[in-house]
Amino acid sequence: MLDAVMAAVERDKARRKCAAALDALRAEYGSITSREREVMAHVAADLMNKQIAGLIGLSEITVKIHRGNVMRKMGVRSLADLVRKAEALGLSHSAGGNRQT
């Protein structure tokens, strides 16, 4: 019986840790502007800066600035980390499609 209680306590501890991490992630996401969210969704959908600029009517340099702000505010250093955070937030990849070569 004691083993069952200890296992339940450990499961609850793990659940709380995951919930705290998700809350922190949501706070990071809440710190970015709506335009940065739009750029983040397109970046997570694997679009290039030039493609994003064309889709939302901005210059490529402005997209680069927004992308840099997103990376800084979300606390990531790589595109892969940003995509992982976008997936954890439940952001869809329907923002633009696949990258063309």
Side-chain angles (χ1 to χ4, degrees):
M1 176 108 159
L2 186 57
D3 289 339
V5 171
M6 293 302 288
V9 167
E10 288 301 317
R11 279 194 307 273
D12 185 59
K13 184 191 255 185
R15 183 194 58 79
R16 287 176 189 245
K17 185 177 179 182
C18 287
L22 189 55
D23 287 344
L25 182 57
R26 286 182 180 139
E28 288 174 346
Y29 187 68
S31 74
I32 64 176
T33 66
S34 60
R35 180 63 83 180
E36 290 167 347
R37 289 177 186 178
E38 187 176 9
V39 169
M40 179 179 171
H42 289 302
V43 168
D46 200 30
L47 292 180
M48 294 181 288
N49 292 340
K50 185 180 261 187
Q51 293 171 312
I52 297 168
L55 281 172
I56 59 180
L58 298 174
S59 70
E60 189 175 350
I61 191 70
T62 302
V63 171
K64 288 179 183 180
I65 290 167
H66 286 311
R67 183 177 179 154
N69 289 341
V70 167
M71 300 288 280
R72 180 178 46 81
K73 291 178 181 179
M74 293 299 293
V76 297
R77 298 189 68 167
S78 71
L79 177 61
D81 291 338
L82 184 64
V83 170
R84 275 191 284 276
K85 286 192 173 192
E87 288 176 351
L89 287 165
L91 303 179
S92 71
H93 290 286
S94 63
N98 294 330
R99 183 179 289 184
Q100 300 290 320
T101 57

